[in-house]
Amino acid sequence: MKIFFRKTLALLLALSLILSLGLSAAASDAMGEDLTALDTLLHQDTQLSTNTFWSMAYNDMRTENLITYTPNPDVTPIVTYGQVLTDRNSVSDTARELERQGWRVVAGINGDFYNVNTGLPIGLVISEGVLRSSDGGYYAIGFRADGTAAIGKPGVKVTARLGYMDAEGYGGEVSRQLTAVNKARVSDGGTYLYTYDFNSKHTTGNTEAGVDVLCTIQEGRLSIGETVTAVVERVEETTSATAMRPDQFVLSANLKSDAYHVDALRNIPVGTTITLEAGAAGEEWNDVEYAVGALYSLVADGTVVAGLPTGVNPRTAVGVRYDGSVIFYTIDGRRSGYSVGASMDQVARRMIELGCVTALCLDGGGSTTLAVTAPDKLETGTVNRPSDGAERKVSNQVFLVAPNQPTGELSHFYVQADNQYVLAGSKVTISASAVDTNFIPMQEDYRLETDGGQLDGNVLTTPLSGGEVTVTAGSGRRTGTTTIHAVTTPDALAIRSADGTALSTLGTAPGTVTQLTATAAYQHKSLKADPEAFTWTVEGNIGSIDAQGNFTAAMPGEGVITVFAGGRSASIQVTVSNFSIQPVEDFESAATIFDGIFGEGLQFSRSTAPETVRLGQGSGKLDYTLAEGRGFAADWRAFLDTPVNRQLYTSLNLWVYGDGSNNVLSLLYDDGTEELQVLPAATLDFTGWKQVSVALPQMSFSIQGLRVSAGEPVYTYDEATGAEIVTYPETARTGTVYIDHIAASFDNTVDTVVPAVTAQVSGSTLTGTVQDGVDGVLPQSSVSVTYDGRPLAFTYDSKTGALSAALPGLDGAAHRVTVTARDGSGNIGRCSADIPAGGGERRFRDTAAYWGADYCDYLYDHNISKGYADGTFRPDQLLTRLDFSVMLYNTLKLDPAKYTGVSLPFADLSKIPESALPAVRALYAEGVVTGTQGQDGKLYLNPDGNLTRAQAAAMIGRSQEKGYALASLTFTDAGKIPAYAAFYIQTMAAQGILSGYTDGTFRPNNNITRGQMAKILYSLM
C-alpha cells in the first residue's frame, strides 16, 4: 500500500518519492502486466503516479501518468482557455501564463474535444463562475470553490425573456430557450447567444443572413442559477458578423430557422429589457466555479459504459472516486517501445481500478498532455510524451494551482536518482532538494547516506551483488529517500547504433569507425548500464573493437561482434564491404524518389535535355518561386520517404546546376523523431554544374523532399515602436535549378574518376577487368558488355572484378566488343576490343584504297548505311545533316514506335524524305538534333546542309549518357573549338571515339566527311 501524509504531518514524511516493482496500487488487469510504479507527492493531497505495464496483446509497453487529487484548501482546480474561446494554446504555454500571474501550477492536463477548424470546444466551459460555452448536450466535470467536483451531464439551459408581450396580449411575455451559448450558428438551429469571449474579433462570426439583437448588460452575470438583465441597443437583419463590447451580448437566429425563433427576435423593441436565466439539470451544478466538457462517458455508477468507440490511442480522462477525490488520467500512445496507448474501454476499466465511480473521456490522441511542477522546480514541465512529438495547442485546459509564497520552513527532502533501474555495479547520480511546508523548493544543506553500494559525493556505485539500495537525504529530523534497483542478471542484452537503433546486422567499409552501444533490459525495462559493465569481442579478421564499443573495420569480409554482461550475451553479424559510395537517385528512370505529393512554390520534374544533365541521361529540374507569405521558401514534398543507411554512410554527394541566385538549396528529411527537417546542401552563388557534399545528421536519415529558400532571416526591432522587423536576404525570387546523381558516401568522400576497365579478345573469348579507385570491385549490376552495340552475356567475379565472355562465331567481318562500368558516383569507364575483318571483298566499290574501308564496311554489315544506289559509299564526300541523322539513328538502334507522336517544328519539313522522318523525329525528341533558326525567325533542319566537325561532335555527344572521363584539349587549335562543343569533344576524345589530325590539330570548323563519320560511329559501339 502507498501512504502519503498530509502537510500537517510533513515532519514525519520519510518518502517523497516511492518507486518499486510490482506495487499493488499499480496492478491493472486493464493495462497489462505491472512493470514499474513511481509516485511523487506534488502538493497537499496531490500526487503524481507514473506506472508502466506490458501489454501481452501488443507485445509492447504502456505508460500512464495520473494525478490523484483530494479537495483541500491549498490546491484549487481551475479551467482555462485563451483570450477567447477560439484560441488554442498548449498546456505548458498556459501554465507559464498562470505562473506569471503568481500561481504555482501543481499539475495541468488538456481539456475538451474541439473543432479543429475553428478551435471552438465541443462542450461546456465555465470559468470564474461564468458560463462561457454551453454543453451541447454532452458530459462535463465542474469544480466548486472548495475543490469538490460535479460530474455527469449538466443539462445547462439558458432562457431569454425578451421584454415584450405576445401579439394577442394573452400569452404573457415572449421568451425563448436558447439553442446554445458561443457555438457556431447553424442554418435551422434556433436562437444563439454570443458574448465577447466568442472569437478574437469579438463578433458573432456569422456569414449567413440572420436577425441579430445587440444588448448591453445592466446587471448580473451569466452563471448557473443566476440572472442577467440587459437593454436592447439594436435589432437588425444582417449577412455579416455583429461586433460587441465586453459588456454586451448578441442574440442571433439564422433567417432559415423557423419563424418561432426569427420573428421572436425580429419583433423585440429597441430599448426594451431582456432577462437571461441559466439553469442546470441538477442543483449540484449551481455553485460550480469552473467546468470543462467531455464528449464521452467512460464509467457510470462504477460500471463501464457500453458501446464505446474502439481503437488504441493516447487518451486523457477524468474521474471522481467514491470518496470525492479526483483522478486526472493520461496514457501515452503511438510510441512503440514506450507506450502503445489504450482503447476507451481499457481506460474505463482502468479508471474503475483506480476507484472511480464516474469517469469521462477528454480529448486524446496528439492532444493528450500532462504537465506538473516537480517538487524541486519552480516551473512546470511535461511528464508524458505527446504523440505528435511536441505539445499540441488545444482549446482549453484543466489545472490544479496553489499559492506560490514560500514559507521558508523545511518540510522534507525530495530525492531522486537519474536512473531507478541499473545493471549491478553501474553508477547513478543522486540529487536532493529541500521542500518547504508550502511545497516550494528551498535552500538547505543535507547529508546523503546509503544502505548499499558506495557513495562518492552524490554518485552511487551500486553493489555488484545487486538488490534494492535506499539513499536518504536528511537534515535534522527532516529526511527523504529514494530506492534504486540494481539487477545482477538482465533478461536480455542488445547491441545498438549510436542513435539507439537495435541492430541485428551491421554493414560498414574498411577504415570506418562505428560507435556501438550495448543496453540491458529487465522485465521489459531498460537498465542504466555503464560502458565498463560490458565486454566486447570480434570474431573474424574484419577489425577491432575497444572497451567503449568503437568498432574499426579493417579488411573486407564477414564476422560477428558479441557483447557480454551479467551472464548474458548478444551478437550481430557484420559485413565489411569496400563498396563505399551508393547511388541514392540517378534520375535515369521516369520514376524518381522525388515523385511528389505537392509543391509550395516549387515544382519538381525530370529533365532529359542534354544541356541540363551532368551524369547519365536524366536530371531533376526545380522551378521555384519564393513568396513572402511562405518566408521566401519553396518546398517540394516527395510521395515516399527514401532512407539512407546511417550505419554505412555519413554524407551525401550531389551535383547541382546553380543559377547564381544566392538562394539556398536544401533537402527535407526525417530523422526518426521529427519530419520535414531542413538540411542545407548548397548556396546557389554559382552558375553551371558543381558537386557538393553534405554531412548527414547523426540520427537516422530519410529524404522527404526539396527546398529552395532565401536563407535565414535577420530579426531586428524598431526602437521607436518596439515592433519586430524581419528581413530576408536579397536573392532572386524565381529561378530554375537542376540536380543530378545523389549518392551516399563516407566522410564526404567524393569520386570523380571513372572506373578502370580493360578488355582483350583472344580467339573467341573476351576477358577483362573492372576496378574502381574508391568503390573497389563493382557489383555485376554496374557492368555491361556489348557486342556490336548489343548486350552480350558474361561471367563476373564480384571479388576480383575479372570477367569473361564467349563471343559469337567469327564470320570474317569486323566486330567491336565493349565493356562499360558505372561506379556509385555515376562515373563511367569503358574499354573496347576490336575483332578485325578477315579480308575479302569490300562492300563498296569506291573504298578499296580508302584508309577507313573497314569502318565503311562495318556500317554496311550492321545496317547503319548501305551507301548509294550505284554501290558507292563516297567516303570523302561531305556529310549532310540528313545523312548524319539517319546514320546516328541506325547506330543507336532507337525504336521508331516510341516517337511516332513527335511533332517536328522545322519549316523545311517538306524537304525531308518520308523514309528519314523516323530518324529525325527520334533524334529531335532526344535533344540530339535541334535545328537552326533562320533570318525569318523560323526553325530549319537544313537537311542538305553540311556539318562541321564541332557540330557533329556536339550532336553525337548529346546521344551519349554523361559520366565518361574528360580529356584535356591539347590540340594546337583548341582555342577554335566552340564552347557548345568543348565538353563533348573532351569526353569523346577520352573514350577514343574522336581524335585529331597527325599535325596535332582538330580543325573543328572543317566540314566532316562521310568516311570520318564511319570511323566515329564504329568507335561509338
Side-chain angles (χ1 to χ4, degrees), residues 198 541 659 685 975:
F198 181 56
N541 187 28
D659 60 357
D685 55 0

Side-chain angles (χ1 to χ4, degrees), residues 974-1005:
K976 297 180 180 180
I977 295 175
Y980 69 82
F983 171 85
Y984 300 107
I985 293 173
Q986 282 183 281
T987 186
M988 287 194 291
Q991 297 173 65
I993 295 172
L994 284 181
S995 60
Y997 291 86
T998 56
D999 63 357
T1001 61
F1002 184 77
R1003 306 177 193 176
N1005 297 315

